[in-house]
Amino acid sequence: MEFKPALPQRNDNITHERPMQEFVLLIAGIGAICIVLFLASGWLIDVAVSRISPEMEARIFAAASPAAQDGAADADPRRTVLQQLVDELRPCLEIGYPLRVELVASAQANAMAAPGGRVIVLEGLLAKVRSENGLAFVLAHELAHFKNRDHLSGLGRG
């Protein structure tokens, strides 16, 4: 028998794995799972929001409204006027549950729909708005958030 030098069939000194390819595949898989979980959680929140009744919402978020506990906020005539305006606009948007206006001391001009049936108006808005129609437009915008349950969806997605 004669010796014939040849290269081995498999060289154990050279790796046949591709670590960068595996890393990219792993990161892509984790990213895809995260995106699916994010979209699924958003969908679940939308389903949950559609099933929460306004009464349940009011009970859940009752503690978040400090103005609802003290009667001092009711003495402000500006809040009374805002409350009357919201009460007049509410049937137009077919909102069947009561909403409470809260006036907050702030220089910013803004209003927001908050969970629990609260419409929060910052005092800076009253200084900037020139007419009752302008104020009604802003309040109607906030009431539309209640109609579409945006205040709960935004809270859940946040």
Side-chain angles (χ1 to χ4, degrees), residues 65-135:
S65 177
Q69 280 83 30
D70 63 3
D74 292 336
D76 191 345
R78 297 175 300 170
R79 197 205 73 77
T80 305
V81 170
L82 288 169
Q83 185 67 52
Q84 288 173 348
L85 195 54
V86 165
D87 290 341
E88 290 172 8
L89 290 170
R90 196 169 45 88
C92 297
L93 290 162
E94 299 173 354
I95 299 172
Y97 54 96
L99 301 174
R100 178 174 172 79
V101 175
E102 296 179 15
L103 192 59
V104 176
S106 175
Q108 292 182 353
N110 203 355
M112 60 199 81
R118 297 178 303 138
V119 179
I120 300 173
V121 178
L122 304 184
E123 287 181 349
L125 178 68
L126 299 178
K128 297 268 186 198
V129 172
R130 301 193 186 275
S131 69
E132 185 179 6
N133 285 343
L135 187 58

